[in-house]
Amino acid sequence: MPSIFERLATVVRRVRFHLHRERFERELAEEMRFHVDMKARDHEQAGMSPDAALDAAQRRFGNRRRIQEQTGDIMAVGWVDSAAQDARYALRSLRKSPAFSVVAVASLALGIGATTAVFTLVNAMLLRPPPFPQPDRLVVTFQTVTPGVLFAADSMPWTYNRYVRLREMVPAFGDAGYSSWDEYNLRRTGLPSAASAQPAERVRAELVTTSLFSTLGATAMLGRTIAAADSVPSATGAVAVLSEPLWRRQFGADSAVLGTTAVMNDLPVTIIGVMPASFTGIRENAEMWVPIKAMSQLGPPGPSHKIEGGMGVIVARLNPGVSVAIANAQVQAAARQLLVEIPPPSFGTRKAEWSGGVVAFTEARQHPLIRPLLLVLSIAVAGVMLIVCANIAGLLLARARARESELAVRVALGAGRGRLARQMLTESVVLALLGGVPGVLIAYAGATLLARLRPTLPPNFILLRSVDLLQGASLVPDWRVLTFVTGLTTIVGILFGAVPAVVASRASIAELIKVGGSRTGTVRARGRRALVVGQVALATTLLVGAGLMVRSFRALLRSDIGFDPASILMMNLSGGDSVAKIPARRAEMLARIAALPGVEAAAAYNCAPLGSDCMFMPVTQVNARAVERGEFPPLEVHAVTRDFLRVLRTPLRAGRTFDAREKPDTVTAALLNETAARLLFRGESPIGQRVSTFTDDATTVEVIGVVADVKYETIDGPTRPAIYFDEDQFSDEGGSVIIARTRRNPAQAVPAIRRLIAESDPTVGIYGVTTGDGLMARASSSTRFVTLLLAGFGLSAALLAALGVYGVLAYLVSQRQREFGIRMAIGALPSSVLALVVRQGVVLTVVGLVLGVAGAFAATGLLSRFLFGVQRADVATYAAIVLLVGLTGVLAALVPALRATKVDPVTALRQ
Amino acid sequence: MLDRELKKGSAELLILSLVEHEPRHGYELSKLIDTRSNGAIRFHVASLYPLLYRLEKRGWIEGRWVEKASQRRRRYYRLTAEGRRTLAAQRRNWREFVEAIARITEVQHG
């Protein structure tokens, strides 16, 4: 056995040959010349003339060119050259069987494309780090209060005052920044008169400290970020930094935008910079950044618009060498201290537990449902990829049979088994690569299409809101995606190439020359059958998942949400002086809207159904009794106009709704939903009883009615107990939601309603126009996303599996044609031959089904977070899929079976 | 003239044994084979150099250019350690083969 050094020496020698090929050829020529000259000298010494001697020597030597080539071949056939040779051979042989090549490359392109598309999503949602330097050093601080004001444990935003103190108290923070957020009306100024008729646009802005930009390490693309000098508010207004999409949309991507002005609510702002497209702020959907000190100037006066009382998030960059655990401990200690210094608002007699801590920034940004969603997708697409590989392996095995004679000749000519196996493997890898290139394009197109489906998840109240999963994410393949594609393609090629390679390496001449029924033939047939069983199993698992999701989706759409979404129109109003605030003006506008042709009724709300936007207030009193903190969950608070029940078509369960008996400006009456009534009054009728949600005085209101539960968050989420106030009595700041019930197509009423509102108040901004159907679609979009994908994958898998079954049985029939001919010649009925073939197909399908059902039991655990209204082990779904797959298998078997019965016995016997 | 089949299989053995004790160049090898076999084996030059390079590639012999003052340079081949091992093995195989043939033929005649 050659030692390792000798092996190394051989490798070195080969490498040196490659590097110095030219020199080698020269030296060989020199060596041969020497040989010839020596021979000529011998001839001369024997008596020939010099010319005759040289002539004779050269003739004896032979064709030097050919010798050179031969020798060159020997030296050159190292693995690089042999790999290139194999690749060329593979391409040639693929060209010779175009039908096979096209089918194989197409299925590979689709499989690799789908898998890479899912990986692109995984990359965009999970793997890509945020666009800041050293994002692993960034943390977000949080604080929780137990029991909370609103929930069992409230996750509290920080106030600005606490932020200032925390910075001083936590030495682990190298730098820290504070960010609050809100929505404002933005109007461009300084435009030529024709364009200044532009309505105000509603934008999401973050109010930040200057240290936020330095903490994150974010720099502007144009201009600059907010500096310390800008953060002091002045009479002339404040500065503002734009996001790239806003700059593009509203400011025409004009590079001269710096220094221009706009108006945010009533505050003039000067644009000083534009952020790059990759920067979307703390909350991933911010469109503008303004200094936090401008907060009080931006909003109407009120406690929530004073900077000290504002709500925000603290982001910090840890000092080098400080771990998250240490920072966590320090923040906890600081939070306890702050509890004493700046006590929180409290009511009731129970003391609240306060705790705080830090969490990694990247973790805070991830919605908790992202991982399960991506896991489901990844496993499903992996299943499809495996099925594609199995299909191609089957095709290759079938093709190998056709190439038996070619292989036999090569073995006879002296090709080593290892060489043959390597050749087969190279063919597979070449095939995979040919499929991989269009696969990347398909992946990009696929990912873009998937993104269009806009899956949205319910908001994550805990830390940072991240609703639209792919907002701001770029789907262009980056190095991670390309590495994945290359790796996947190679693995796939080796995976489905392994089988034919192993078979080829076992080929022996004797076996290959034998006619039919060879041992390799049996191995091949068994291999193909195993592959088909696997395909059927995978297809079954995918289809069960798809079936469960389809049922979930239907259940979601059919579930009782408490109102009728058909032909409803919704829009949000913001800003403006009068319409949203002055009850008389509002009532007039609503009446005018209701009077429009095609509109049945109109009402105004403070938060819309399925909008997840409502505010909460704690129950402070029930009748004469003061309520303990944490005794009841908080109530959803709704401020509605008189017609709201009619607009929503929500049933009134008891008592009456608001009417003229309710005098404006003082809150005297309230409605409860069924859940609240049950909770607070435990089976007694709540009508006439009194409750209070107010902490600052002892006002109680009378319950005058009970309405059916309406879902204000998600379709599949819990129904919260809710209390409704008459909007005329309950003064509310901020925007209003207008809801109208139309007679026919709600979208048609939009222009008329817009005109009407603009007439009432030209300064008001309209945004978020949706129809009821649009609302339902958005609320069910993530379920629909998963359903569509699983159904698509499942059906493709079933089709491929059916092709697999067909392929195996077709092969079987072609192998046993003679036998069938004989059988029928001696009297067997065609139906018995049919039954024989179909039975084989049924066996394969049944085994695959059993494995698939078992696999489905295991795998559907992954879906549990997405299922609604249906059990994991739902018998009806499993039964339906088993039936579907079983039928498909039988149908796929019928085609070759029918062909078997058509075999002419005479022809078969003659073979 | 010895059978072609035998010659093919034994070519490697010949070359290896010829360079066992001292390095030789290509022309020298072809002459030696011719003279030592008394003309029974004549190596076609066309197969000599490819064979030499094949042996070199396998690491059984090593070729090196040698330049002496009075002559043009020539490429000498010598046996490597692994070549030595292969030579011993091939000699053994050859001996066993010859003995087996001898036994068969002797029995038949005997």
Side-chain angles (χ1 to χ4, degrees):
Chain A
M1 275 304 291
S3 78
I4 185 105
F5 297 111
E6 283 156 355
R7 285 230 181 112
L8 219 60
T10 313
V11 171
V12 168
R13 204 187 354 262
R14 289 201 186 156
V15 169
R16 281 165 72 204
F17 167 73
H18 281 292
L19 293 177
H20 304 294
R21 199 192 179 116
E22 237 186 74
R23 198 186 72 183
F24 159 79
E25 288 187 353
R26 261 186 294 123
E27 291 182 355
L28 177 61
E30 188 180 336
E31 214 176 330
M32 290 195 289
R33 222 175 17 248
F34 171 72
H35 189 125
V36 166
D37 287 344
M38 292 294 279
K39 194 74 191 183
R41 198 190 60 184
D42 285 348
H43 283 316
E44 272 183 54
Q45 282 171 353
M48 280 193 190
S49 72
D51 287 331
L54 189 60
D55 206 25
Q58 277 176 338
R59 247 184 298 124
R60 276 302 304 279
F61 198 85
N63 187 345
R64 268 185 266 182
R65 187 75 224 141
R66 226 190 71 208
I67 295 175
Q68 188 129 13
E69 272 173 26
Q70 261 183 310
T71 322
D73 271 345
I74 292 170
M75 283 306 275
V77 182
W79 73 269
V80 168
D81 287 285
S82 77
Q85 204 179 50
D86 283 347
R88 272 195 298 268
Y89 185 83
L91 282 171
R92 257 205 317 272
S93 109
L94 285 177
R95 243 202 307 268
K96 267 190 277 181
S97 25
F100 160 81
S101 309
V102 166
V103 168
V105 169
S107 352
L108 276 172
L110 284 173
I112 292 178
T115 314
T116 310
V118 169
F119 182 79
T120 309
L121 291 181
V122 170
N123 190 32
M125 291 191 216
L126 274 186
L127 298 177
R128 266 215 177 108
F132 311 123
Q134 292 188 307
D136 54 316
R137 304 302 299 160
L138 289 173
V139 293
V140 175
T141 55
F142 65 90
Q143 49 179 352
T144 50
V145 183
T146 321
V149 175
L150 296 185
F151 297 95
D154 270 351
S155 201
M156 301 282 290
W158 292 89
T159 59
Y160 181 74
N161 287 356
R162 287 214 181 84
Y163 153 71
V164 170
R165 283 294 291 133
L166 200 72
R167 263 197 90 141
E168 296 161 4
M169 290 163 72
V170 178
F173 289 170
D175 199 357
Y178 181 80
S179 164
S180 181
W181 56 84
D182 208 337
E183 289 183 0
Y184 302 101
N185 288 346
L186 181 73
R187 233 172 345 114
R188 290 193 69 181
T189 53
L191 291 171
S193 49
S196 63
Q198 247 181 357
E201 184 186 340
R202 191 83 172 154
V203 295
R204 291 179 291 268
E206 281 186 0
L207 300 101
V208 299
T209 58
T210 55
S211 54
L212 185 76
F213 291 103
S214 60
T215 305
L216 292 174
T219 49
M221 178 173 76
L222 266 184
R224 60 186 179 81
T225 58
I226 301 171
D230 306 314
S231 54
V232 179
S234 77
T236 52
V239 298
V241 177
L242 302 177
S243 71
E244 201 263 1
L246 181 66
W247 174 60
R248 219 166 265 292
R249 218 170 47 237
Q250 276 285 311
F251 294 82
D254 184 9
S255 51
V257 71
L258 303 180
T260 63
T261 54
V263 174
M264 270 179 83
N265 282 10
D266 293 319
L267 181 71
V269 293
T270 313
I271 314 292
I272 58 164
V274 179
M275 298 304 286
S278 56
F279 184 75
T280 46
I282 298 295
R283 301 191 71 221
E284 283 194 65
N285 54 10
E287 295 172 296
M288 281 182 77
W289 292 270
V290 289
I292 186 141
K293 300 254 169 82
M295 183 189 257
S296 47
Q297 294 165 290
L298 277 168
S304 64
H305 288 279
K306 277 234 237 2
I307 188 178
E308 294 79 19
M311 306 197 297
V313 166
I314 301 178
V315 179
R317 187 173 280 279
L318 296 179
N319 276 323
V322 178
S323 71
V324 173
I326 293 178
N328 198 41
Q330 289 182 1
V331 169
Q332 277 180 358
R336 272 194 295 274
Q337 168 100 2
L338 281 174
L339 186 59
V340 173
E341 276 183 36
I342 314 175
S346 65
F347 69 93
T349 49
R350 269 204 285 178
K351 206 99 170 82
E353 284 271 319
W354 195 286
S355 67
V358 300
V359 118
F361 183 73
T362 42
E363 221 178 280
R365 287 236 279 205
Q366 267 174 28
H367 195 286
L369 276 182
I370 285 186
R371 269 179 214 267
L373 180 73
L374 291 176
L375 194 61
V376 167
L377 286 190
S378 306
I379 294 192
V381 89
V384 173
M385 190 76 239
L386 280 174
I387 293 183
V388 168
C389 287
N391 246 19
I392 303 208
L395 283 172
L396 280 174
L397 277 175
R399 194 156 159 268
R401 186 189 172 277
R403 296 169 72 187
E404 261 174 358
S405 48
E406 176 200 329
L407 287 180
V409 168
R410 291 186 72 187
V411 168
L413 282 180
R417 309 233 191 283
R419 189 79 170 77
L420 273 186
R422 228 176 37 227
Q423 168 72 48
M424 296 280 115
L425 213 56
T426 310
E427 243 179 64
S428 313
V429 174
V430 164
L431 200 58
L433 285 171
L434 282 176
V437 169
V440 174
L441 298 170
I442 293 180
Y444 182 57
T448 316
L449 255 165
L450 287 177
R452 282 253 187 87
L453 287 175
R454 302 247 111 194
T456 55
L457 292 174
N460 173 13
F461 284 112
I462 303 304
L463 284 166
L464 300 170
R465 238 168 201 235
S466 177
V467 179
D468 194 341
L469 282 179
L470 290 166
Q471 184 133 29
S474 161
L475 293 173
V476 174
D478 65 354
W479 67 267
R480 260 184 234 97
V481 173
L482 290 173
T483 311
F484 176 81
V485 150
T486 314
L488 176 72
T489 313
T490 316
I491 292 176
V492 158
I494 293 177
L495 204 68
F496 67 72
V499 178
V502 163
V503 168
S505 69
R506 290 228 199 97
S508 75
I509 305 177
E511 290 288 349
L512 289 169
I513 291 175
K514 255 200 268 174
V515 173
S518 65
R519 199 199 54 157
T520 41
T522 320
V523 166
R524 246 201 305 274
R526 228 181 290 150
R528 286 192 75 187
R529 279 204 284 273
L531 285 172
V532 168
V533 165
Q535 284 179 307
V536 172
L538 278 171
T540 308
T541 308
L542 281 173
L543 281 173
V544 166
L548 289 174
M549 284 309 295
V550 166
R551 292 197 65 174
S552 297
F553 187 52
R554 289 181 64 198
L556 207 64
L557 290 179
R558 282 216 221 104
S559 74
D560 182 16
I561 42 178
F563 69 101
D564 179 9
S567 69
I568 262 190
L569 183 64
M570 265 178 23
M571 51 184 70
N572 294 58
L573 303 182
S574 74
D577 303 317
S578 46
V579 150
K581 309 282 170 359
I582 302 176
R585 297 284 305 269
R586 189 169 53 228
E588 182 200 332
M589 182 188 72
L590 287 173
R592 287 177 67 191
I593 293 177
L596 283 174
V599 178
E600 234 177 70
Y605 260 77
N606 65 327
C607 67
L610 295 179
S612 298
D613 225 357
C614 298
M615 61 176 185
F616 289 82
M617 290 173 79
V619 182
T620 50
Q621 259 188 287
V622 173
N623 287 329
R625 182 174 71 87
V627 165
E628 276 302 314
R629 188 173 186 156
E631 187 181 336
F632 295 120
L635 299 179
E636 242 175 26
V637 173
H638 300 274
V640 297
T641 57
R642 304 261 162 89
D643 258 349
F644 88 103
L645 277 185
R646 198 167 138 220
V647 171
L648 286 187
R649 294 201 187 138
T650 303
L652 180 71
R653 297 285 189 224
R656 65 172 178 89
T657 177
F658 301 121
D659 55 33
R661 276 172 277 185
E662 271 61 63
K663 298 282 175 286
D665 297 325
T666 338
V667 187
T668 56
L671 297 171
L672 293 179
N673 71 354
E674 288 169 300
T675 306
R678 223 181 5 253
L679 200 63
L680 297 176
F681 296 105
R682 280 171 249 269
E684 277 177 36
S685 165
I687 311 292
Q689 312 223 33
R690 304 191 75 83
V691 290
S692 173
T693 57
F694 303 102
T695 53
D696 43 1
D697 58 39
T699 319
T700 56
V701 295
E702 182 190 343
V703 179
I704 60 168
V706 178
V707 298
D709 288 340
V710 174
K711 292 274 169 78
Y712 285 96
E713 284 179 15
T714 59
I715 303 180
D716 50 348
T719 313
R720 309 239 180 249
I723 187 166
Y724 292 81
F725 295 113
D726 188 319
E727 202 168 49
D728 290 347
Q729 295 190 331
F730 184 83
S731 79
D732 189 32
E733 306 164 342
S736 264
V737 181
I738 308 285
I739 304 187
R741 164 83 52 193
T742 63
R743 292 211 175 81
R744 274 182 298 272
N745 184 357
Q748 283 175 351
V750 172
I753 297 181
R754 271 189 190 267
R755 240 189 335 265
L756 220 151
I757 295 177
E759 276 167 22
S760 297
D761 184 351
T763 64
V764 84
I766 302 176
Y767 68 102
V769 180
T770 14
T771 60
D773 290 332
L775 207 60
M776 287 297 285
R778 204 179 106 110
S780 58
S781 70
S782 64
T783 308
R784 187 183 59 212
F785 185 71
V786 177
T787 307
L788 278 176
L789 278 173
L790 280 183
F793 289 158
L795 288 172
S796 325
L799 189 65
L800 287 170
L803 282 174
V805 169
Y806 165 79
V808 161
L809 290 176
Y811 175 76
L812 174 142
V813 164
S814 71
Q815 286 294 86
R816 296 171 68 175
Q817 256 186 343
R818 199 153 176 269
E819 178 199 331
F820 293 150
I822 294 174
R823 276 181 190 246
M824 289 195 285
I826 60 175
L829 291 168
S831 58
S832 72
V833 170
L834 185 94
L836 195 147
V837 177
V838 171
R839 198 173 28 242
Q840 296 263 357
V842 167
V843 165
L844 289 174
T845 311
V846 165
V847 176
L849 273 173
V850 168
L851 289 173
V853 164
F857 261 125
T860 47
L862 292 167
L863 277 180
S864 53
R865 296 183 80 153
F866 300 101
L867 294 179
F868 178 72
V870 67
Q871 290 294 326
R872 255 184 73 184
D874 183 52
V875 176
T877 309
Y878 277 83
I881 300 301
V882 165
L883 208 64
L884 175 69
V885 174
L887 262 166
T888 314
V890 168
L891 280 173
L894 266 177
V895 178
L898 282 170
R899 212 153 8 102
T901 61
K902 301 250 190 334
V903 171
D904 178 19
V906 179
T907 327
L909 282 168
R910 277 221 200 97
Q911 271 185 336
Chain B
M1 200 58 152
L2 281 178
D3 201 41
R4 255 170 127 229
E5 297 305 322
L6 271 180
K7 221 169 59 168
K8 244 205 281 190
S10 51
E12 292 175 3
L13 178 58
L14 285 176
I15 302 289
L16 290 177
S17 57
L18 282 174
V19 296
E20 185 182 5
H21 297 296
E22 62 179 281
R24 303 189 194 277
H25 58 77
Y27 179 67
E28 205 180 338
L29 286 168
S30 83
K31 273 195 79 176
L32 277 171
I33 291 173
D34 193 17
T35 50
R36 285 204 189 166
S37 68
N38 295 326
I41 300 173
R42 206 175 274 139
F43 226 83
H44 201 291
V45 169
S47 39
L48 173 65
Y49 284 94
L51 176 59
L52 283 174
Y53 277 85
R54 198 178 302 129
L55 292 176
E56 189 178 12
K57 191 178 138 187
R58 290 204 201 128
W60 294 347
I61 61 178
E62 194 185 349
R64 212 179 310 167
W65 285 103
V66 173
E67 195 144 0
K68 292 202 190 126
S70 51
Q71 348 166 289
R72 66 201 266 191
R73 68 174 191 167
R74 45 193 85 174
R75 200 148 197 261
Y76 280 87
Y77 294 93
R78 65 167 193 86
L79 201 61
T80 62
E82 196 188 333
R84 218 166 280 278
R85 279 197 292 271
T86 312
L87 174 61
Q90 286 206 359
R91 272 206 182 111
R92 211 169 29 244
N93 291 342
W94 182 256
R95 216 181 354 257
E96 283 168 9
F97 175 67
V98 167
E99 283 170 7
I101 297 281
R103 269 201 300 279
I104 293 168
T105 51
E106 258 165 52
V107 165
Q108 285 214 323
H109 283 319

